[in-house]
Amino acid sequence: KIIATSDQEGNTVLYKVEENQLRLLDRKGQKIEGKTANLYLLQKSQSPIINKYWKAIEIMGKEVEMTENMKKEPHLIIRSNSEFSAGGGCNSIFGQFKLEGKNNISFSNIAVTEMACMFDNYDQELYEALYNTRQFIMLDDEHMQLIVGKRAPLARFEVVYF
């Protein structure tokens, strides 16, 4: 279904109705493509995990402990533009994610910087957790787990408010 409205100058503006979102179309009624395509989506409701800084408290069964050499605490940030950034204590991890249904999530195009880290960190474990994740569970407003199936959590996080 397509909705047509007018902007302030009287130009026709077209939107495509999709599941739980509206998509702004170009003037010919075509889907806008490219790196900025997700900027043209108006989503019905936002997941509770979006636009928050999630501090890692456990990754792949290991309790996260900061060491004096770590430059950054292990974390995950999931942004509303379908991109995420993370870190395991040394390198940066980033890519895209997709939310489907109530709590299905998958991470894709995962890339990692390649700094030499001569100290203990959680980079590899966090990469593996993100790569294997298929769902998230909100334990309460401030605690989230990434999971696959009914196995033990791949990672556990708590939200940090600034």
Side-chain angles (χ1 to χ4, degrees):
K1 182 175 179 179
I2 304 292
I3 296 174
T5 64
S6 297
D7 65 14
Q8 294 174 344
E9 289 84 38
N11 298 313
T12 300
V13 180
L14 301 172
Y15 294 92
K16 180 178 181 186
V17 178
E18 298 178 354
E19 187 173 343
N20 294 322
Q21 65 188 16
L22 287 176
R23 180 181 300 277
L24 178 65
L25 301 174
D26 67 16
R27 292 186 178 174
K28 295 179 182 177
Q30 301 298 310
K31 181 179 174 181
I32 297 169
E33 302 288 342
K35 290 182 180 179
T36 61
N38 287 332
L39 298 176
Y40 299 97
L41 290 176
L42 179 62
Q43 296 182 338
K44 180 179 177 183
S45 63
Q46 194 167 19
S47 171
I49 66 172
I50 301 292
N51 291 331
K52 292 182 181 167
Y53 179 96
W54 294 98
K55 176 183 171 183
I57 53 178
E58 181 183 294
I59 304 172
M60 300 300 282
K62 294 181 183 177
E63 186 175 329
V64 173
E65 296 179 23
M66 287 292 294
T67 64
E68 61 184 64
N69 293 326
M70 281 189 187
K71 295 170 178 53
K72 303 174 265 186
E73 68 184 355
H75 68 281
L76 172 63
I77 301 170
I78 301 173
R79 296 186 174 82
S80 59
N81 66 354
S82 299
E83 294 178 353
F84 77 90
S85 61
C90 183
N91 283 287
S92 295
I93 304 169
F94 49 92
Q96 283 84 43
F97 72 94
K98 184 175 185 178
L99 287 172
E100 293 183 309
K102 184 177 177 183
N103 67 340
N104 292 331
I105 187 169
S106 58
F107 296 90
S108 61
N109 300 322
I110 303 172
V112 182
T113 58
E114 296 182 3
M115 292 176 29
C117 306
M118 302 303 184
F119 54 88
D120 289 340
N121 61 71
Y122 300 88
D123 292 350
Q124 183 62 35
E125 291 90 348
L126 184 54
Y127 174 89
E128 288 177 30
L130 295 170
Y131 180 82
N132 289 305
T133 292
R134 296 297 173 260
Q135 296 170 312
F136 70 91
I137 295 175
M138 293 296 299
L139 301 175
D140 56 34
D141 289 343
E142 299 183 352
H143 295 89
M144 169 184 65
Q145 293 180 349
L146 299 179
I147 62 171
V148 57
K150 299 198 181 284
R151 293 190 273 174
L154 297 170
R156 294 186 310 120
F157 299 87
E158 64 184 13
V159 72
V160 175
Y161 296 104
F162 297 104

